[in-house]
Amino acid sequence: MHFNKLSGEVFYPSQEVIEKAHIKNWDELNEFATKDYLGFWEKMANELHWFQKWDKVLDDSQKPFYKWFTNAKVNVAYNCLDVHLKTPRRNKLALIWEGENGDLRTYSYHALHREVCKFANVLKSLGVNKGDRVTIYMGRIPEIIMAMLACARIGAIHSVVYGGFSVEALSERIEDSQSKVLVVADGAYQRGKIVPLKQIADEALQRCGTVENVLVVRRTGQPVNMEEGRDMWYHDLVNLPFITQNCSLEIMDAEDPLFILYTSGTTGKPKAILHTQGGYMVGVYTTLKYVFDIHEEDRYWCAADPGWITGHSYIVYGPLLNGATSFLYEGAPNYPYPNRWWSMIEKYGINILYTAPTAIRGLMRFGEAWVNRHDLSSLRLLGSVGEPINPEAWKWYYRVVGKEKCPIMDTWWQTETGMFMITPMPSVPLKPGSGTRPFPGIEMDVVDENGNSVKPNEEGYLVIKTPWPSMMRTIYKDPERYVNQYWSKFPGWYLTGDSARKDEDGYFWIIGRVDDVIKVSGYRLGTAEIESALVSHPAVAEAAAIGLPHEVKGNAIHAYVILKQGYEKSPHLAEELRQHVAHEVGPIAKPEHIEFVDSLPKTRSGKIMRRVLKARALGQDPGNISTLEE
Ligand code: PRX
């Protein structure tokens, strides 16, 4: 290993961490996986269960529509649950859950399997079949995981909509996916209040027309409207005598869809990223095993929400495929007090914590004393995801939370990639703010406009040059957009939408998005969604949204609004517009600031130049404005 040759500030793993790690020598694994990446993925696939093995590991005859593990037969939910039942893991905890109100539930692998089978039987009783879409809209409660796995078991395609999204965001996603069933909770606890999920869903359902049945899980117990013939309580159905804990599973083709997940793109409406069974399973299983170094006795906590890709891959599928004990909580990091997380780590003896920089920065503000009153000595590894982590937050996390003994896995990846792409492993020397190098077997680069690699430390487009098993397969129902958005700027390479630089040691440093995606508190939002919510308000003629740096959130949304004739600008109207965006898209999309303007900078073809707005707001030079209309 070239430990001593690295430039800049470097944090080396302790001997103890290296000794425990599955991968003690990253270079060795990397050499093997680089020489023969198909052999590497095949070896990993062989650690999982298949009803029938593949003809070919990779079929790249129809690029960029790659196929992995062709003709193999598999079921991901079977690999998450059933396979463990024949091992000593049967009675091991699969899931520990703590509600915001102090509720505690635990499920062994046996118990989770039982609950998932019952859930699947309920879905079947509603007529859900292989290939049908099911939208899931819930808070962080065990049933969200059960609903996802139940779909996977019977071959239905789940489409989870984050519980922080609101009416329009939900209805748009239901409509686009043509879901037949909506699984929703009555409400969710959040900072001592109740988010009325069922009520939001009712409003969303008035705007779209495909849902035949709504399955309602009781969480908060507040009164909700139940539409006869359409809405059913989950607890009523699951207790019917014919809902047993045996549920036959669907044998799936490796390339059958597993789920769709909506994410914000460069332009227009959110798009449904499609992931399939076999490759996705192999990718998330392998990356979690090696990066978070899952051992039998570990208690692992990914503090994300199951409604985002981080939750799909690393709360639900990755940990269960690895037979790990996963922790899930409902609520917020700082409610009722800023020690909620630290007290849970101590209480449940968490060994691995995986979260986002925004959460670290938020908790940092409350000071070290809140952390130090708890015994966090169970922690072995830490993780970060969602946005670049600033070195100051990295060091606080490392020193105050990890007591300088827990390496930080800064994982760069996307909804589209399905799994970690740039990431350290525990035995890799770290530089605060860098995710180090691509996962073994994955070739990535930073290139200029013409596709040439840029010099060390120069900024450029981040691209992926080799296919990987858990790559998205397409945009659901829109293969053309898939090709255009990801594979046309540099044919043959996947365009990530991020800019980055690579230092002299080959370490990657992410700079940020180069498109119209704004990362707010690690959440991915599109300017288009915020703007279309604004113009759906009767007072608004035109709107433009940009992201500006924010100390805790990373970026905050600033919106510029042109009012229709007859409307007067006022602080009251600005507030009304902010609330309107929260109601339509979700509280996370609420603009930090709204400015009323008389015109917006546009190109001659009428495209809003957000770059110019941003430069103006930051007091910077807007650069080339030759295409500006006036
Ligand atoms: O800009 C990058 C940023 O998040 C984007 C992907 O967002 P999403 O699909 O919502 O997935 C987030 C969780 C996987 C990327 O294009 N991003 C993600 N992880 C990092 C990051 N930026 C810097 N460092 C990271 N570790």
Side-chain angles (χ1 to χ4, degrees):
M1 279 189 238
H2 44 265
F3 269 21
N4 299 323
K5 296 189 216 138
L6 297 175
S7 64
E9 192 176 16
V10 185
F11 289 73
Y12 295 96
S14 69
Q15 210 46 44
E16 206 182 327
V17 166
I18 298 178
E19 267 162 33
K20 173 129 190 169
H22 287 303
I23 301 301
K24 297 179 178 51
N25 187 334
W26 184 91
D27 296 84
E28 208 175 271
L29 177 70
N30 190 49
E31 204 184 305
F32 160 55
T34 306
K35 268 197 205 130
D36 178 15
Y37 75 100
L38 296 181
F40 169 66
W41 290 116
E42 181 161 41
K43 176 172 169 288
M44 299 314 296
N46 274 317
E47 294 186 10
L48 294 155
H49 175 275
W50 304 79
F51 297 109
Q52 181 187 302
K53 295 249 170 127
W54 44 91
D55 301 339
K56 263 179 116 176
V57 176
L58 173 69
D59 173 359
D60 59 1
S61 58
Q62 287 165 307
K63 291 174 191 168
F65 297 95
Y66 294 91
K67 292 192 182 112
W68 284 80
F69 306 107
T70 53
N71 292 324
K73 302 288 175 219
V74 71
N75 183 292
V76 180
Y78 184 88
N79 273 285
C80 287
L81 299 170
D82 301 57
V83 291
H84 306 307
L85 301 186
K86 298 172 206 123
T87 73
R89 283 180 189 150
R90 179 183 177 85
N91 294 328
K92 173 180 173 175
L93 290 187
L95 182 64
I96 305 174
W97 173 77
E98 191 189 274
E100 191 177 86
N101 59 347
D103 283 354
L104 171 65
R105 285 199 253 158
T106 58
Y107 296 88
S108 65
Y109 272 89
H110 169 72
L112 190 59
H113 176 265
R114 176 190 70 221
E115 295 306 317
V116 167
C117 287
K118 290 198 292 186
F119 213 117
N121 281 327
V122 169
L123 291 176
K124 276 186 181 174
S125 76
L126 296 176
V128 176
N129 290 316
K130 179 177 173 183
D132 288 342
R133 275 79 57 212
V134 173
T135 297
I136 301 171
Y137 180 61
M138 296 164 112
R140 278 198 303 278
I141 54 175
E143 285 83 353
I144 189 170
I145 297 180
M146 292 167 194
M148 291 166 72
L149 292 168
C151 288
R153 186 168 187 91
I154 62 174
I157 304 169
H158 59 72
S159 168
V160 183
V161 178
Y162 170 56
F165 276 129
S166 200
V167 181
E168 184 57 24
L170 176 61
S171 104
E172 205 169 78
R173 286 160 173 76
I174 293 174
E175 183 74 31
D176 186 76
S177 64
Q178 302 276 297
S179 288
K180 182 165 171 179
V181 168
L182 169 67
V183 184
V184 65
D186 55 352
Y189 289 111
Q190 180 75 0
R191 292 200 163 86
K193 296 201 186 93
I194 289 177
V195 184
L197 295 172
K198 174 65 168 69
Q199 194 186 318
I200 295 170
D202 286 337
E203 209 180 316
L205 289 174
Q206 283 168 10
R207 302 185 190 179
C208 57
T210 62
V211 169
E212 291 163 18
N213 286 116
V214 180
L215 192 58
V216 191
V217 173
R218 180 177 280 161
R219 165 62 188 133
T220 57
Q222 95 267 26
V224 294
N225 159 59
M226 295 291 281
E227 196 174 302
E228 214 180 308
R230 187 194 71 180
D231 303 354
M232 336 246 167
W233 284 108
Y234 177 70
H235 58 257
D236 284 343
L237 297 193
V238 79
N239 288 320
L240 292 172
F242 61 87
I243 300 295
T244 67
Q245 66 179 71
N246 299 313
C247 172
S248 59
L249 56 79
E250 201 67 43
I251 296 194
M252 306 294 284
D253 190 272
E255 281 297 321
D256 278 338
L258 174 63
F259 65 83
I260 52 176
L261 184 58
Y262 286 83
T263 193
S264 305
T266 306
T267 49
K269 286 188 170 181
K271 52 198 174 180
I273 305 300
L274 180 94
H275 282 287
T276 55
Q277 302 267 333
Y280 176 79
M281 173 179 84
V282 175
V284 300
Y285 164 76
T286 306
T287 45
L288 186 67
K289 175 173 175 172
Y290 286 163
V291 174
F292 283 112
D293 205 38
I294 302 294
H295 291 268
E296 207 55 66
E297 65 280 12
D298 281 334
R299 286 193 166 180
Y300 158 88
W301 177 22
C302 167
D305 192 283
W308 298 88
I309 192 68
T310 310
H312 279 56
S313 298
Y314 299 111
I315 294 178
V316 184
Y317 291 108
L320 297 174
L321 288 167
N322 277 282
T325 299
S326 193
F327 177 68
L328 181 76
Y329 89 115
E330 176 193 47
N334 56 350
Y335 183 87
Y337 299 105
N339 68 334
R340 171 101 194 267
W341 277 21
W342 321 124
S343 78
M344 291 190 300
I345 291 171
E346 181 175 26
K347 183 170 173 191
Y348 301 107
I350 305 290
N351 308 105
I352 301 159
L353 169 66
Y354 183 32
T355 183
T358 187
I360 317 275
R361 289 190 297 260
L363 289 166
M364 235 170 109
R365 282 189 315 175
F366 296 107
E368 293 178 29
W370 286 104
V371 192
N372 292 337
R373 66 171 68 198
H374 296 281
D375 174 6
L376 305 186
S377 58
S378 59
L379 287 174
R380 187 175 91 249
L381 289 172
L382 301 173
S384 174
V385 63
E387 49 174 329
I389 181 163
N390 46 314
E392 196 198 351
W394 194 100
K395 286 180 196 166
W396 188 86
Y397 196 24
Y398 186 75
R399 180 176 60 81
V400 180
V401 181
K403 315 295 177 207
E404 299 182 351
K405 68 177 179 63
C406 308
I408 299 176
M409 304 297 108
D410 179 357
T411 60
W412 177 93
W413 59 296
Q414 308 178 302
T415 309
E416 293 89 337
T417 70
M419 65 178 216
F420 307 148
M421 298 300 282
I422 299 175
T423 176
M425 287 186 200
S427 56
V428 167
L430 304 172
K431 301 188 189 186
S434 166
T436 75
R437 291 161 293 183
F439 192 83
I442 289 163
E443 197 189 334
M444 295 183 64
D445 201 0
V446 180
V447 301
D448 65 18
E449 207 55 56
N450 303 316
N452 301 314
S453 301
V454 299
K455 292 197 192 91
N457 294 314
E458 270 177 23
E459 184 174 345
Y461 296 98
L462 182 67
V463 295
I464 308 174
K465 295 187 169 177
T466 40
W468 63 101
S470 67
M471 62 200 300
M472 71 184 291
R473 295 301 193 263
T474 190
I475 292 176
Y476 184 63
K477 296 195 305 192
D478 200 351
E480 213 173 301
R481 190 169 170 202
Y482 167 67
V483 177
N484 291 341
Q485 181 155 344
Y486 300 104
W487 301 94
S488 20
K489 186 167 176 80
F490 305 110
W493 299 344
Y494 170 90
L495 183 72
T496 63
D498 278 16
S499 67
R501 55 191 183 80
K502 200 161 109 174
D503 70 16
E504 48 284 355
D505 299 317
Y507 276 43
F508 286 72
W509 300 76
I510 307 298
I511 296 163
R513 299 289 307 190
V514 284
D515 55 10
D516 292 333
V517 167
I518 311 177
K519 278 286 189 151
V520 184
S521 301
Y523 296 121
R524 180 164 162 182
L525 296 166
T527 52
E529 288 154 272
I530 300 152
E531 290 161 5
S532 81
L534 283 167
V535 296
S536 74
H537 188 281
V540 178
E542 275 186 81
I546 57 167
L548 293 178
H550 184 279
E551 208 181 320
V552 176
K553 298 178 181 173
N555 295 289
I557 298 164
H558 289 245
Y560 298 84
V561 167
I562 303 179
L563 289 176
K564 283 191 190 147
Q565 263 187 355
Y567 287 91
E568 286 292 316
K569 55 184 172 189
S570 71
H572 174 78
L573 182 57
E575 184 51 29
E576 190 178 312
L577 294 179
R578 294 177 68 235
Q579 294 304 339
H580 180 71
V581 177
H583 180 263
E584 292 295 302
V585 188
I588 47 168
K590 189 154 78 174
E592 191 85 358
H593 181 72
I594 289 193
E595 190 176 327
F596 296 107
V597 292
D598 298 325
S599 65
L600 288 168
K602 287 189 191 154
T603 61
R604 273 170 223 119
S605 57
K607 246 186 105 198
I608 296 171
M609 294 180 84
R610 295 186 189 80
R611 176 171 66 78
V612 174
L613 285 171
K614 198 163 170 171
R616 194 195 73 153
L618 295 171
Q620 292 169 351
D621 173 11
N624 180 1
I625 49 166
S626 59
T627 56
L628 194 65
E629 193 183 21
E630 57 190 47

